[in-house]
């Protein structure tokens, strides 16, 4: 045993591009040895900071950094009740930081500790969205010119909302109003045009429903886009309606990705074992870090299900690095969502993974390979931001609130 212990745990809340991030720094009794992890839950970042500093720190400080598995189980069990996104993110920040520390102690990048490489780099998909089809098409071509071969697409001109007028009730409350009227036809036409415009090119498209469909609408949509060889249709159903994936699978062969909103690996058990999905789409910090994500990937491998970790704009570069080390390790890697790094992020987080020709490459530096300029992080503090009336509060035309 190394006898190196956790000396301190700190949450660093920062917003380098106007998006609130939480990075956890675990400091040890070994001078100069520390680790970083991602604990970003943008919509409730203050709660994550509190959970970390008030609940987890007292039970983890003084414990050996060697025992990642034991520390993870201790943190999960410390609240008695089954965990949710706030506690999971707090745990994730510590867990990823401990893997970072273990890699530094071993003199190896984290992927080596997980078993080494299955691939040199992880293929990524980027986002091409626009007000019009022409805007979206231009974005796609920009990515193709950069060597990207996988793109998530969407444009307001063809998403149903712009084409089907929304008639609100008198006294309509604030919110993001939408309708799925005609969505299967609109999406079918969009993908038909994309396949025609990019005929002969090595380009793969996916589409994110964001759980905003009824089961019947999701089934109709899956059947409508089936002819256009999607990489996957993402989150076509809400977690509450997951049983309906069986019906979609029986009537359509479109690949299905699911799980952005899942917070417990157990939520995947039935979907994976019954062969109802093709990709797991979970956000690693929402599960609790590298430790549970690696186990979930291994479980999925036995059923031919691939990984497609959630990589939104509200994830810290430390979180991207943590995902990437799993990406290059697991044999059932599928694709990695990637928003890209702003210049501010690259400066604030030295060691951001490099991209080239549509691949993301992990650092060969021991640990996760990423650092944080804390002085700069303080110059871009996280703030309280009101999310109540953007797309987090969506409504049907009659005003009915619909959860994402």
């Amino acid at each position: 045993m190394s006898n190196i212990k956790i000396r301190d745990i700190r949450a660093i809340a920062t917003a380098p591009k106007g998006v609130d991030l939480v990075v956890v720094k675990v400091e040890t009794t070994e001078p100069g040895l520390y680790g970083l992890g991602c604990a970003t839950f943008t919509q409730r970042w203050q709660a994550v900071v509190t959970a970390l500093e008030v609940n987890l720190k007292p039970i983890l400080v003084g414990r050996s950094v060697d025992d990642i598995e034991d520390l993870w189980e201790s943190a999960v069990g410390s609240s008695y009740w089954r965990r949710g996104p706030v506690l999971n993110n707090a745990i994730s920040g510590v867990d990823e930081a401990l893997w970072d520390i273990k890699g530094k102690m071993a003199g190896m990048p984290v992927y080596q500790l997980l078993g080494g490489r299955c691939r040199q780099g992880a293929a990524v998909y980027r986002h091409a969205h626009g007000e019009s089809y022409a805007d979206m098409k231009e974005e796609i071509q920009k990515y193709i010119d950069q060597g990207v071969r996988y793109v998530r697409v969407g444009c307001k001109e063809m998403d149903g909302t712009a084409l089907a007028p929304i008639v609100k009730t008198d006294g309509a409350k604030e919110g993001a109003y939408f309708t799925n009227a005609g969505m299967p036809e609109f999406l079918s036409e969009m993908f038909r045009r994309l396949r025609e415009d990019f005929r002969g090119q090595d380009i793969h498209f996916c589409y994110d429903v964001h759980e905003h469909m009824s089961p019947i609408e999701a089934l109709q949509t899956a059947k409508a886009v089936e002819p256009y060889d999607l990489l996957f249709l993402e989150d076509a159903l809400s977690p509450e309606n997951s049983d309906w994936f069986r019906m979609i699978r029986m009537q359509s062969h479109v690949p299905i990705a699911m799980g952005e909103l899942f917070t417990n690996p157990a939520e995947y058990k039935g979907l994976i074992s019954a062969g109802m999905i093709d990709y797991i789409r979970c956000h690693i910090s929402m599960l609790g870090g590298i430790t549970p994500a690696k186990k979930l990937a291994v479980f999925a491998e036995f059923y031919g299900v691939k990984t497609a970790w959630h990589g939104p704009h509200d994830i810290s570069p430390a979180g991207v690095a943590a995902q990437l080390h799993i990406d290059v390790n697991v044999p059932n890697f599928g694709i990695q969502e990637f928003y890209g790094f702003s210049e501010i992020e690259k400066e604030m987080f030295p060691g951001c993974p490099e991209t080239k020709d549509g691949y993301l490459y992990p650092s060969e530096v021991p640990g996760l390979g990423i650092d944080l300029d804390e002085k700069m992080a303080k110059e871009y503090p996280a703030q309280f931001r009101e999310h109540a009336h953007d797309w987090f509060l969506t409504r049907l035309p009659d005003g009915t609130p619909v959860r994402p």
Side-chain angles (χ1 to χ4, degrees):
M1 297 289 286
S2 66
N3 204 34
I4 296 174
K5 295 180 169 42
I6 297 173
R7 183 179 63 81
D8 194 14
I9 299 174
R10 293 191 291 117
I12 302 164
T14 184
K17 57 182 180 182
V19 177
D20 298 320
L21 309 174
V22 178
V23 178
V24 173
K25 186 171 186 177
V26 174
E27 299 176 345
T28 74
T29 53
E30 180 71 20
L33 178 61
Y34 60 87
L36 298 177
C38 185
T40 298
F41 180 7
T42 301
Q43 297 78 27
R44 297 291 185 270
W45 67 266
Q46 301 98 326
V48 173
V49 171
T50 299
L52 184 83
E53 295 181 345
V54 175
N55 304 116
L56 292 185
K57 180 177 175 178
I59 66 173
L60 297 179
V61 167
R63 303 278 294 274
S64 171
V65 299
D66 290 320
D67 304 327
I68 296 177
E69 191 73 37
D70 185 73
L71 291 172
W72 191 88
E73 293 290 347
S74 297
V76 168
S78 66
S79 65
Y80 177 65
W81 305 103
R82 289 299 185 260
R83 60 198 187 278
V86 172
L87 181 59
N88 277 5
N89 272 279
I91 293 172
S92 169
V94 175
D95 180 77
E96 293 175 10
L98 290 172
W99 279 101
D100 190 21
I101 290 168
K102 190 172 285 287
K104 291 174 179 176
M105 292 169 62
M108 297 179 180
V110 167
Y111 73 80
Q112 291 286 15
L113 303 180
L114 299 176
R117 289 181 186 267
C118 267
R119 60 198 55 79
Q120 297 304 306
V124 301
Y125 77 78
R126 304 298 301 270
H127 294 206
H129 295 155
E131 292 291 325
S132 68
Y133 179 86
D135 293 337
M136 179 184 66
K137 182 179 173 182
E138 185 178 336
E139 280 286 296
I140 294 170
Q141 189 59 55
K142 179 187 74 174
Y143 288 131
I144 291 175
D145 293 343
Q146 296 173 5
V148 174
R149 294 168 300 286
Y150 303 88
V151 182
R152 192 182 93 178
V153 296
C155 67
K156 290 186 177 180
E157 184 180 71
M158 303 188 74
D159 72 355
T161 301
L163 296 176
I166 294 178
V167 180
K168 301 180 183 179
T169 60
D170 290 342
K173 297 179 180 180
E174 292 185 72
Y177 283 75
F178 78 100
T179 175
N180 287 326
M183 276 291 284
E185 292 83 1
F186 298 142
L187 290 178
S188 177
E189 174 62 12
M190 181 180 73
F191 283 111
R192 184 196 66 77
R193 290 176 63 179
L194 287 172
R195 283 299 174 208
E196 185 67 30
D197 290 340
F198 293 96
R199 184 184 299 276
Q201 299 192 54
D202 182 20
I203 184 72
H204 308 269
F205 300 116
C206 57
Y207 185 81
D208 188 357
V209 176
H210 281 300
E211 307 91 15
H212 278 157
M213 287 186 177
S214 69
I216 289 297
E217 290 169 339
L219 174 58
Q220 292 170 335
T221 298
K223 295 175 72 171
V225 301
E226 189 176 89
Y228 305 108
D229 192 26
L230 269 64
L231 174 66
F232 56 66
L233 185 67
E234 177 185 344
D235 285 347
L237 297 168
S238 68
E240 294 81 6
N241 288 323
S242 290
D243 288 348
W244 270 81
F245 277 120
R246 188 182 306 277
M247 188 66 70
I248 294 176
R249 183 64 98 201
M250 291 172 62
Q251 299 191 45
S252 170
H253 59 64
V254 65
I256 296 294
M258 178 60 181
E260 181 176 322
L261 295 184
F262 287 176
T263 59
N264 190 322
E267 293 176 274
Y268 276 106
K269 284 169 51 179
L271 292 175
I272 291 174
S273 61
M276 288 192 280
I277 61 174
D278 303 278
Y279 294 86
I280 51 176
R281 277 286 294 142
C282 50
H283 191 98
I284 285 180
S285 72
M286 292 290 173
L287 291 183
I290 292 174
T291 297
K294 170 67 175 178
K295 293 176 183 178
L296 178 60
V298 171
F299 175 71
E301 178 190 349
F302 282 98
Y303 296 91
V305 175
K306 298 180 180 180
T307 66
W309 307 128
H310 187 222
H313 69 293
D314 51 339
I315 182 174
S316 74
V320 174
Q323 292 177 331
L324 183 56
H325 281 270
I326 302 176
D327 289 338
V328 299
N329 164 252
V330 296
N332 56 323
F333 167 76
I335 194 71
Q336 176 62 61
E337 180 180 18
F338 181 57
Y339 254 85
F341 299 119
S342 66
E343 291 304 314
I344 294 177
E345 285 177 302
K346 291 179 182 179
E347 184 179 354
M348 186 183 296
F349 292 87
C352 282
E354 298 291 331
T355 58
K356 182 181 179 182
D357 295 330
Y359 291 102
L360 198 59
Y361 292 91
S363 171
E364 292 302 308
V365 174
L368 292 177
I370 200 158
D371 209 339
L372 172 64
D373 184 333
E374 292 193 56
K375 181 178 179 182
M376 187 176 179
K378 291 180 180 179
E379 297 173 2
Y380 297 87
Q383 303 174 25
F384 175 77
R385 302 174 200 274
E386 179 56 69
H387 293 282
H389 299 304
D390 56 17
W391 69 275
F392 297 110
L393 179 54
T394 50
R395 295 182 182 276
L396 297 177
D398 67 357
T400 302
V402 179
R403 285 177 289 176

